[in-house]
Amino acid sequence: MRKDREYSDIPGTYVFDPEHSRQGYHLNMFCMSLNKEANREQFRRDESAYLDVFPMSPEQRDAVLQRDWIGLLRLGGNIYYTFKLAIFDGINMQEIGARMEGVPDEQFKAMMINGGRPIQGNRYQKEWNRSG
Amino acid sequence: MRKDREYSDIPGTYVFDPEHSRQGYHLNMFCMSLNKEANREQFRRDESAYLDVFPMSPEQRDAVLQRDWIGLLRLGGNIYYTFKLAIFDGINMQEIGARMEGVPDEQFKAMMINGGRPIQGNRYQKEWNRSG
Amino acid sequence: MAKLFAGVGTSHVPGIGAAVDHKKTQTDYWKPLFDGYEPAREWMQNEAPDVVIIVYNDHASAFSLELIPTFAIGVAERFQPADEGYGPRKVPVVEGHPELAWHLAESLILDEFDMTIANEMPVDHGLTVPLSIACGEPDIWPCKVIPLCVNVIQYPSPTGNRCYQLGKAIRKAVEAFPADLKVAIFGTGGMSHQLQGERAGLVNADFDIAFLDDLTRNVDRLVRIPHVEYLREAGSEGAELVMWMIMRGALDDDAREVYRHFHVPASNTAAGLIILENP
Amino acid sequence: MAKLFAGVGTSHVPGIGAAVDHKKTQTDYWKPLFDGYEPAREWMQNEAPDVVIIVYNDHASAFSLELIPTFAIGVAERFQPADEGYGPRKVPVVEGHPELAWHLAESLILDEFDMTIANEMPVDHGLTVPLSIACGEPDIWPCKVIPLCVNVIQYPSPTGNRCYQLGKAIRKAVEAFPADLKVAIFGTGGMSHQLQGERAGLVNADFDIAFLDDLTRNVDRLVRIPHVEYLREAGSEGAELVMWMIMRGALDDDAREVYRHFHVPASNTAAGLIILENP
Ligand SMILES: [Fe+3]
Ligand SMILES: [Fe+3]
């Protein structure tokens, strides 16, 4: 990701800007392909063989196979695309949220029921640096 | 075609406006399909069977089978689409021009070499009505 | 002539559609949200618009990164629910209004909006969830629909001002259409939420309430919200709220609020709904 | 910073490409046209732009009626020549400039042009014929290309003014790009011609000459030509000339003409070429 954008200081956020989109093109197009049942079937049968037709980087390929949800974003994935893989796995958006943050599913769900992640302390990267 | 457009009084001209586009949608999509060699092969093998997958009107279908070039336009065809059928037949744009006007190919070609159809007398439908 | 009489702003969270489809609207989790939708359904039934223009975004369903239109208007006779990875939602086919849609497309392009015209466009939860919210589970949808699809996934989406101006041009076009039609416009998406990254789960209810308030009190402020403010304050997916500005632009300056509902959470999202009517 | 130094207006008649491909450029029919292209090729070789933005229209090759973008910008690494029904032209693959193209897309959208962003877009004669005209038959094209595809088939196409304003926004975006690139812009299509209907074969040389003249003498007149005037005076396909206004908008007000060539006929078309340079 470029670091000189006006939104670069928002923490824990991967804006799908031109650089990100270029990086993730084939990764996202793989995810999109799971919209079709015939493709889902093939992917179910042999994930690795199915991935061979998409010219991804080895890191992207590994992130898919390992369901490294935050890694997928860092490597150019967009959440609406990577969520196709979660749908394939039968995982819902809150579970993905938990896994991206690296907390137990129940903790994430409880946070949402209690009003979600607050905006206070979550606007700027520097706020995270201080507390981290 | 709607008759109340500001361009409705231009003679011998089928503006591809919304009404025309709606009318010709499936006809034009058939023509577009000839961009693919595999489709051209199928169409070559059995024109009528190939047309069955495109929900055209009987008039449109006949106009395709009979290569009624002006009829294709009147039924919603757009020249860039219908020209795919001419490419298929190995006919060039001047030959199509001649057939749409209903004159011999050589006459049309000679007109082009002599500077094309003049604008004088060809701006308004009423000019054609007078001379016809 | 056709008349654009009202606008609705509403979230389009897929979980809301799933709750309807799986008969979960009366569970502890979903009931408070759906109770708040009841008055909107009554309003919809009473007002019975002939056509609803639904401004929404596609979520990697009809469009992929191959081709990313900023504004796409659907002019087809009908639009099939898209397979988003679970198989298509079992909701009625969405019937279009080709005459009005083409009229809009033509008018908007001549007014210098650079529309993409779509004759084939499966519609995903972005469009069908608002219909479920407003209409429940009928056998056929009670109105014709014109889908207006906005890119809010690939940065940059259109500016708030551009969306607002598009709304104004839609209003003008609708009211020049020579048929006696009652037309509503839905702006969908939002409210504050972030689905992605370590900040996933963000909700900013203060931002959302102020947004709902200013739809009638201070539209100028909303029109000028820059992308970075949406991203920071409303979350990366809360930036969908820019689509509500198209709806707002299509209404009178002094449109009045007739109903609102706000609930947290719907899945990972702050869900809002507002109904605005022209005086 | 990148610099947009010149613009070229040129017809993109498929027959011109076919004459090149089938080695007919020296026949009696084609020689006068191609002789007039020689100075343009020399200019192109001498100036050697790094990138050329080619404004053209697709002719039912990449896009069909399924989806009709008003303005589509190609951001891919490369663009394959399209099969238009004869098999693809045997010309080099067109190499893109993704960095500049994405920069343009972003800048244009934030400047409120509603671009469609294209990652996959085979390019037809509308784009490859101008390259053949300007560059002859090299093994690889001597410049990177950014395709900018304009709808001029489905009525209505964008207005002349919208195209002209888009040109201005392109100029601004190019000159904000932080790399030392020499950029030219081609506006293609036209000049007067009509391919369809009983009026097929129309040529209006007076209109065309006045158009070429006014690119330097009276741009304001050209910007305001309404669609109906193009259709009536320049023929239904002569309306492609609106794309030249994007090229013109990207240049200085006082750009000067350095070369022109006009010949009738190229197939069914009045073929024109003009080179304009910023002072
Ligand atoms: Fe959404
Ligand atoms: Fe053309």
Side-chain angles (χ1 to χ4, degrees):
Chain A
M1 280 200 304
R2 274 171 60 172
K3 293 290 175 208
D4 59 342
R5 296 284 197 158
E6 51 182 359
Y7 44 74
S8 302
D9 64 350
I10 304 176
T13 302
Y14 304 83
V15 176
F16 197 60
D17 61 16
E19 290 73 26
H20 211 71
S21 187
R22 285 188 68 194
Q23 183 192 5
Y25 185 75
H26 296 292
L27 166 60
N28 289 313
M29 293 303 285
F30 148 70
C31 294
M32 174 88 180
S33 75
L34 299 179
N35 277 349
K36 294 206 173 116
E37 177 52 32
N39 295 339
R40 295 194 288 269
E41 241 180 74
Q42 280 200 15
F43 185 61
R44 210 171 284 126
R45 209 169 310 139
D46 186 343
E47 296 202 355
S48 182
Y50 185 79
L51 291 174
D52 286 345
V53 279
F54 297 90
M56 287 182 237
S57 72
E59 294 76 19
Q60 290 173 327
R61 189 190 168 94
D62 285 354
V64 171
L65 292 172
Q66 292 164 30
R67 307 299 196 263
D68 173 6
W69 302 105
I70 195 74
L72 287 168
L73 297 190
R74 289 180 180 155
L75 295 166
N78 170 274
I79 188 67
Y80 288 118
Y81 288 83
T82 60
F83 189 58
K84 305 287 180 190
L85 187 58
I87 293 174
F88 178 84
D89 286 353
I91 300 175
N92 71 30
M93 195 57 99
Q94 291 175 58
E95 289 158 350
I96 294 299
R99 288 164 209 202
M100 286 185 297
E101 187 185 356
V103 299
D105 291 356
E106 288 316 310
Q107 182 180 329
F108 193 92
K109 283 180 196 189
M111 175 182 77
M112 290 317 303
I113 287 178
N114 292 321
R117 189 184 305 282
I119 186 69
Q120 292 77 12
N122 290 313
R123 288 187 172 93
Y124 296 95
Q125 184 62 50
K126 62 185 178 208
E127 297 176 309
W128 282 27
N129 298 344
R130 268 204 298 276
S131 65
Chain B
M1 280 199 303
R2 274 172 60 171
K3 293 290 178 209
D4 59 341
R5 297 284 198 158
E6 51 182 0
Y7 45 73
S8 300
D9 63 351
I10 305 175
T13 300
Y14 304 82
V15 176
F16 197 60
D17 61 17
E19 290 73 26
H20 210 72
S21 188
R22 287 188 67 194
Q23 183 191 6
Y25 185 75
H26 295 291
L27 166 60
N28 289 312
M29 293 304 284
F30 148 70
C31 293
M32 174 89 180
S33 76
L34 299 178
N35 277 349
K36 293 205 172 118
E37 178 52 31
N39 294 340
R40 295 194 288 269
E41 242 179 75
Q42 280 201 13
F43 184 61
R44 211 172 282 125
R45 211 170 307 140
D46 186 343
E47 296 202 353
S48 181
Y50 185 80
L51 290 175
D52 286 346
V53 278
F54 297 90
M56 287 182 238
S57 73
E59 294 75 20
Q60 290 173 328
R61 187 189 169 95
D62 284 354
V64 171
L65 291 171
Q66 293 165 30
R67 307 300 197 264
D68 173 6
W69 302 104
I70 196 75
L72 287 168
L73 297 191
R74 289 181 181 155
L75 295 166
N78 170 274
I79 188 68
Y80 289 118
Y81 288 83
T82 60
F83 189 58
K84 305 288 180 189
L85 187 59
I87 293 174
F88 178 85
D89 286 353
I91 301 175
N92 71 30
M93 195 56 98
Q94 290 175 60
E95 289 158 350
I96 295 298
R99 288 163 209 200
M100 286 185 296
E101 187 185 355
V103 299
D105 292 356
E106 288 315 309
Q107 182 180 329
F108 194 92
K109 284 181 195 187
M111 174 182 79
M112 290 316 302
I113 286 179
N114 291 321
R117 187 185 308 280
I119 187 70
Q120 292 77 15
N122 291 311
R123 287 186 172 94
Y124 296 95
Q125 184 63 48
K126 63 186 177 204
E127 297 175 309
W128 283 27
N129 298 345
R130 269 204 298 276
S131 64
Chain C
M1 304 302 259
K3 200 160 166 48
L4 201 154
F5 76 105
V8 175
T10 177
S11 303
H12 61 214
V13 185
I16 298 174
V20 172
D21 298 347
H22 301 123
K23 315 284 174 207
K24 291 189 182 163
T25 62
Q26 296 308 306
T27 63
D28 288 352
Y29 184 89
W30 289 108
K31 190 171 185 321
L33 180 65
F34 280 91
D35 283 353
Y37 287 153
E38 269 313 314
R41 287 188 189 171
E42 280 165 33
W43 177 88
M44 186 75 179
Q45 229 167 9
N46 293 338
E47 295 295 339
D50 300 301
V51 184
V52 176
I53 300 166
I54 301 188
V55 182
Y56 74 109
N57 70 292
D58 180 78
H59 306 78
S61 304
F63 300 120
S64 72
L65 300 178
E66 278 187 17
L67 204 68
I68 309 166
T70 291
F71 294 131
I73 181 166
V75 298
E77 300 273 353
R78 58 193 63 78
F79 304 92
Q80 299 293 337
D83 186 346
E84 305 181 45
Y86 321 87
R89 279 192 75 198
K90 287 181 186 57
V91 290
V93 168
V94 174
E95 297 205 37
H97 195 300
E99 291 81 8
L100 178 56
W102 270 110
H103 167 83
L104 286 174
E106 177 172 348
S107 177
L108 292 172
I109 291 168
L110 292 175
D111 275 346
E112 308 198 334
F113 291 84
D114 316 313
M115 309 306 290
T116 292
I117 299 171
N119 268 299
E120 296 281 345
M121 189 163 71
V123 288
D124 74 9
H125 71 267
L127 183 134
T128 62
V129 166
L131 281 174
S132 294
I133 289 172
C135 311
E137 297 178 87
D139 291 332
I140 57 168
W141 298 119
C143 53
K144 309 278 188 185
V145 172
I146 298 178
L148 178 57
C149 185
V150 180
N151 166 51
V152 295
I153 292 185
Q154 176 65 61
Y155 182 91
S157 52
T159 67
N161 180 61
R162 185 64 177 165
C163 289
Y164 186 67
Q165 299 303 330
L166 175 61
K168 290 190 174 293
I170 288 171
R171 173 71 177 278
K172 175 184 150 196
V174 166
E175 305 215 332
F177 187 69
D180 200 19
L181 291 176
K182 191 169 175 183
V183 181
I185 183 167
F186 285 16
T188 76
M191 300 190 80
S192 64
H193 67 301
Q194 175 152 336
L195 302 177
Q196 56 128 328
E198 296 88 343
R199 202 174 71 139
L202 184 89
V203 166
N204 187 345
D206 291 343
F207 180 94
D208 292 337
I209 303 293
F211 192 95
L212 291 170
D213 289 345
D214 284 349
L215 283 170
T216 47
R217 289 191 209 162
N218 189 356
V219 177
D220 281 355
R221 180 183 76 82
L222 302 184
V223 170
R224 290 195 311 268
I225 295 176
H227 289 330
V228 64
E229 183 178 337
Y230 278 119
L231 289 166
R232 192 185 310 282
E233 298 294 329
S236 50
E237 283 67 46
E240 290 181 342
L241 279 170
V242 77
M243 292 185 286
W244 292 38
M245 299 317 296
I246 298 176
M247 174 274 285
R248 186 61 187 89
L251 301 178
D252 285 1
D253 290 350
D254 58 349
R256 67 196 182 88
E257 176 178 336
V258 298
Y259 182 66
R260 90 157 65 170
H261 175 46
F262 182 73
H263 178 78
V264 178
S267 181
N268 286 16
T269 305
L273 181 145
I274 196 165
I275 303 176
L276 304 173
E277 284 182 2
N278 284 334
Chain D
M1 304 303 258
K3 201 161 164 49
L4 201 156
F5 77 105
V8 175
T10 178
S11 303
H12 62 214
V13 186
I16 298 175
V20 172
D21 298 346
H22 301 124
K23 315 287 176 204
K24 290 188 181 166
T25 63
Q26 297 308 305
T27 61
D28 289 351
Y29 184 89
W30 289 108
K31 190 172 186 315
L33 179 65
F34 280 91
D35 283 353
Y37 287 154
E38 269 312 315
R41 289 191 188 169
E42 280 164 31
W43 176 88
M44 186 75 178
Q45 226 165 12
N46 293 338
E47 295 295 340
D50 300 301
V51 184
V52 176
I53 300 166
I54 302 188
V55 182
Y56 75 109
N57 69 293
D58 179 79
H59 306 78
S61 305
F63 301 119
S64 73
L65 299 178
E66 277 188 18
L67 203 69
I68 309 166
T70 292
F71 294 131
I73 182 166
V75 299
E77 301 273 354
R78 57 192 65 78
F79 304 92
Q80 299 293 338
D83 185 347
E84 305 180 47
Y86 321 88
R89 278 191 76 198
K90 288 183 185 56
V91 291
V93 169
V94 174
E95 297 204 36
H97 196 299
E99 292 81 7
L100 179 56
W102 270 110
H103 167 84
L104 285 174
E106 177 173 347
S107 177
L108 293 172
I109 291 168
L110 293 175
D111 275 346
E112 308 198 334
F113 291 85
D114 316 314
M115 309 305 291
T116 292
I117 300 172
N119 269 298
E120 297 281 344
M121 189 164 70
V123 288
D124 74 8
H125 71 267
L127 183 134
T128 63
V129 166
L131 282 172
S132 295
I133 290 172
C135 311
E137 297 178 88
D139 291 332
I140 56 168
W141 298 118
C143 53
K144 310 278 189 185
V145 172
I146 298 178
L148 178 57
C149 186
V150 180
N151 167 50
V152 295
I153 292 185
Q154 176 65 61
Y155 182 89
S157 53
T159 67
N161 181 61
R162 185 66 177 163
C163 288
Y164 186 68
Q165 300 303 331
L166 175 61
K168 289 190 175 293
I170 288 171
R171 173 70 176 277
K172 175 185 150 194
V174 166
E175 305 213 331
F177 187 70
D180 200 21
L181 291 175
K182 191 168 175 183
V183 180
I185 182 167
F186 286 16
T188 77
M191 299 191 80
S192 63
H193 68 301
Q194 176 152 336
L195 302 177
Q196 56 127 328
E198 296 88 344
R199 203 174 70 140
L202 185 89
V203 167
N204 187 345
D206 291 344
F207 180 94
D208 291 336
I209 303 294
F211 192 95
L212 291 170
D213 289 345
D214 284 350
L215 283 170
T216 48
R217 288 189 208 163
N218 188 358
V219 178
D220 281 355
R221 180 182 74 82
L222 303 185
V223 170
R224 290 195 310 270
I225 295 175
H227 288 331
V228 64
E229 183 177 336
Y230 278 119
L231 289 166
R232 193 185 309 281
E233 298 294 327
S236 50
E237 283 68 45
E240 290 181 342
L241 280 169
V242 78
M243 293 185 285
W244 292 39
M245 299 317 295
I246 298 176
M247 175 274 286
R248 187 60 188 89
L251 301 178
D252 285 359
D253 290 350
D254 59 348
R256 65 194 184 87
E257 177 177 335
V258 298
Y259 182 67
R260 89 157 67 169
H261 175 45
F262 182 73
H263 178 78
V264 179
S267 181
N268 286 17
T269 305
L273 181 144
I274 196 165
I275 303 177
L276 303 172
E277 284 182 2
N278 284 334

PDB file of all heavy atoms in Angstrom, chain A residues 80, chain C residues 12 57 59 125 240, ligand 1:
ATOM      1  N   TYR A  80     -15.050  -7.776  -0.130  1.00  0.00           N
ATOM      2  CA  TYR A  80     -16.229  -8.316  -0.811  1.00  0.00           C
ATOM      3  C   TYR A  80     -15.859  -9.507  -1.687  1.00  0.00           C
ATOM      4  O   TYR A  80     -16.688 -10.375  -1.942  1.00  0.00           O
ATOM      5  CB  TYR A  80     -16.923  -7.242  -1.638  1.00  0.00           C
ATOM      6  CG  TYR A  80     -17.631  -6.236  -0.788  1.00  0.00           C
ATOM      7  CD1 TYR A  80     -17.269  -4.895  -0.806  1.00  0.00           C
ATOM      8  CD2 TYR A  80     -18.657  -6.615   0.069  1.00  0.00           C
ATOM      9  CE1 TYR A  80     -17.916  -3.962  -0.011  1.00  0.00           C
ATOM     10  CE2 TYR A  80     -19.307  -5.699   0.863  1.00  0.00           C
ATOM     11  CZ  TYR A  80     -18.934  -4.377   0.823  1.00  0.00           C
ATOM     12  OH  TYR A  80     -19.568  -3.461   1.612  1.00  0.00           O
TER      13      TYR A  80
ATOM     14  N   HIS C  12     -28.414  -2.136   3.542  1.00  0.00           N
ATOM     15  CA  HIS C  12     -28.764  -3.307   2.722  1.00  0.00           C
ATOM     16  C   HIS C  12     -27.945  -4.538   3.125  1.00  0.00           C
ATOM     17  O   HIS C  12     -27.588  -5.357   2.276  1.00  0.00           O
ATOM     18  CB  HIS C  12     -28.659  -2.980   1.222  1.00  0.00           C
ATOM     19  CG  HIS C  12     -27.297  -2.583   0.739  1.00  0.00           C
ATOM     20  ND1 HIS C  12     -27.109  -1.660  -0.269  1.00  0.00           N
ATOM     21  CD2 HIS C  12     -26.055  -2.988   1.098  1.00  0.00           C
ATOM     22  CE1 HIS C  12     -25.802  -1.522  -0.501  1.00  0.00           C
ATOM     23  NE2 HIS C  12     -25.152  -2.330   0.300  1.00  0.00           N
ATOM     24  N   ASN C  57     -25.119  -0.667  -4.502  1.00  0.00           N
ATOM     25  CA  ASN C  57     -23.865  -1.086  -5.131  1.00  0.00           C
ATOM     26  C   ASN C  57     -23.845  -2.588  -5.274  1.00  0.00           C
ATOM     27  O   ASN C  57     -24.394  -3.320  -4.448  1.00  0.00           O
ATOM     28  CB  ASN C  57     -22.644  -0.603  -4.355  1.00  0.00           C
ATOM     29  CG  ASN C  57     -22.484  -1.309  -3.036  1.00  0.00           C
ATOM     30  OD1 ASN C  57     -23.303  -1.113  -2.145  1.00  0.00           O
ATOM     31  ND2 ASN C  57     -21.455  -2.137  -2.897  1.00  0.00           N
ATOM     32  N   HIS C  59     -21.826  -6.057  -5.212  1.00  0.00           N
ATOM     33  CA  HIS C  59     -20.737  -6.551  -4.355  1.00  0.00           C
ATOM     34  C   HIS C  59     -20.081  -7.748  -5.036  1.00  0.00           C
ATOM     35  O   HIS C  59     -20.249  -8.883  -4.609  1.00  0.00           O
ATOM     36  CB  HIS C  59     -21.275  -6.964  -2.991  1.00  0.00           C
ATOM     37  CG  HIS C  59     -22.065  -5.902  -2.280  1.00  0.00           C
ATOM     38  ND1 HIS C  59     -23.364  -5.607  -2.605  1.00  0.00           N
ATOM     39  CD2 HIS C  59     -21.741  -5.065  -1.261  1.00  0.00           C
ATOM     40  CE1 HIS C  59     -23.800  -4.629  -1.815  1.00  0.00           C
ATOM     41  NE2 HIS C  59     -22.841  -4.281  -0.989  1.00  0.00           N
ATOM     42  N   HIS C 125     -27.660  -8.650  -3.085  1.00  0.00           N
ATOM     43  CA  HIS C 125     -28.339  -8.220  -1.865  1.00  0.00           C
ATOM     44  C   HIS C 125     -28.446  -6.698  -1.758  1.00  0.00           C
ATOM     45  O   HIS C 125     -29.343  -6.186  -1.095  1.00  0.00           O
ATOM     46  CB  HIS C 125     -27.625  -8.794  -0.636  1.00  0.00           C
ATOM     47  CG  HIS C 125     -26.296  -8.180  -0.345  1.00  0.00           C
ATOM     48  ND1 HIS C 125     -25.101  -8.701  -0.828  1.00  0.00           N
ATOM     49  CD2 HIS C 125     -25.954  -7.072   0.352  1.00  0.00           C
ATOM     50  CE1 HIS C 125     -24.095  -7.950  -0.411  1.00  0.00           C
ATOM     51  NE2 HIS C 125     -24.574  -6.955   0.291  1.00  0.00           N
ATOM     52  N   GLU C 240     -20.352   3.627   1.804  1.00  0.00           N
ATOM     53  CA  GLU C 240     -21.526   3.411   0.952  1.00  0.00           C
ATOM     54  C   GLU C 240     -22.571   4.518   1.107  1.00  0.00           C
ATOM     55  O   GLU C 240     -23.426   4.691   0.238  1.00  0.00           O
ATOM     56  CB  GLU C 240     -22.207   2.080   1.324  1.00  0.00           C
ATOM     57  CG  GLU C 240     -21.426   0.842   0.960  1.00  0.00           C
ATOM     58  CD  GLU C 240     -22.181  -0.436   1.337  1.00  0.00           C
ATOM     59  OE1 GLU C 240     -23.116  -0.377   2.155  1.00  0.00           O
ATOM     60  OE2 GLU C 240     -21.829  -1.490   0.800  1.00  0.00           O
TER      61      GLU C 240
HETATM   62 FE    FE E   1     -23.159  -2.711   0.327  1.00  0.00          FE
END
